[in-house]
């Protein structure tokens, strides 16, 4: 199953250094039956994109924690790692596309990495500071999150990840 793991730049750096990605709480997103039911139309590709979008919003939440801890050197870029794994558990208590995986994901299972470009950094920083309020229904905060989500994530092949990390 293709999963989308919310991450941050330090997690991406760790993937390159250690050869594994350890998702926070084992949380990832995928095209689940519940996600499919939440949409009245759309093919698998469109629904996979919806799962990746949920992971990108979760990446904002991770960034909010890092910034709150004073990790200001962390680039304000959403990171989503796409990987293919066999064993997932559905998480109906979370978002429609949420799943839990057991353990770390080895680099060999990574299919791609999706990362914001530099031009999204301002919007992403603003969104990371607002995402909790947006989750609670604050429309001004939701607008800031939407500004970040208007930026498309760039796609990188696994062979490019080490070079990407070295650039920053």
């Amino acid at each position: 199953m293709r999963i989308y793991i919310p991450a941050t730049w330090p997690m991406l750096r760790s993937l390159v250094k250690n050869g594994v990605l350890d998702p926070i709480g084992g949380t990832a997103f995928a095209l689940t039956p519940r996600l499919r039911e939440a949409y009245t139309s759309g093919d698998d590709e469109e629904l996979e994109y919806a799962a990746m979008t949920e992971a990108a919003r979760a990446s904002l939440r991770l960034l909010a924690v890092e910034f709150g801890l004073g990790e200001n050197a962390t680039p304000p870029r959403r990171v989503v790692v796409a990987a293919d794994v066999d064993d997932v558990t559905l998480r109906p208590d979370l978002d429609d596309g949420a799943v839990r995986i057991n353990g770390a994901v080895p680099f060999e299972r990574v299919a791609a990495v999706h990362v914001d470009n530099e031009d999204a950094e301002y919007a992403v920083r603003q969104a990371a500071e607002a995402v909790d309020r947006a989750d609670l229904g604050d429309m001004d905060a939701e607008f800031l999150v939407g500004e970040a989500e208007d930026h498309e994530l760039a796609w990188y092949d696994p062979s490019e990840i080490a070079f990407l990390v070295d650039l920053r």
Side-chain angles (χ1 to χ4, degrees):
M1 171 181 269
R2 174 67 48 95
I3 62 170
Y4 300 91
I5 305 165
T8 62
W9 203 267
M11 292 171 71
L12 193 58
R13 196 175 296 123
S14 178
L15 171 63
V16 170
K17 180 180 177 186
N18 302 321
V20 295
L21 178 65
D22 195 15
I24 304 296
T27 300
F29 296 85
L31 174 49
T32 64
R34 187 169 164 196
L35 181 67
R36 188 179 300 281
E37 289 173 9
Y39 286 83
T40 57
S41 66
D43 60 19
D44 283 357
E45 185 175 330
E46 291 169 314
L47 296 175
E48 291 274 348
Y49 184 80
M52 186 184 74
T53 300
E54 286 188 21
R57 185 171 280 216
S59 177
L60 281 176
R61 293 182 188 106
L62 295 177
L63 284 169
V65 171
E66 288 187 7
F67 296 152
L69 294 173
E71 299 291 333
N72 293 324
T74 297
R77 296 185 187 192
R78 295 169 298 161
V79 176
V80 175
V81 177
D84 296 312
V85 300
D86 298 321
D87 188 26
V88 302
T89 304
L90 299 179
R91 293 289 313 269
D93 56 318
L94 295 177
D95 295 333
D96 292 336
V99 297
R100 172 166 285 143
I101 62 171
N102 294 320
V105 176
F107 191 89
E108 301 80 44
R109 305 295 285 189
V110 172
V113 172
H114 306 269
V115 181
D116 276 309
N117 290 316
E118 187 176 352
D119 63 336
E121 287 187 356
Y122 178 79
V124 169
R125 183 171 293 279
Q126 297 294 102
E129 293 172 2
V131 70
D132 287 340
R133 294 190 321 274
D135 288 343
L136 295 172
D138 181 320
M139 295 308 292
D140 291 333
E142 183 62 40
F143 176 79
L144 293 173
V145 171
E147 289 285 310
E149 290 176 341
D150 284 345
H151 292 271
E152 289 292 324
L153 299 174
W155 178 92
Y156 294 92
D157 185 79
S159 65
E160 300 172 302
I161 298 170
F163 299 110
L164 176 65
V165 169
D166 283 345
L167 289 175
R168 184 68 184 194

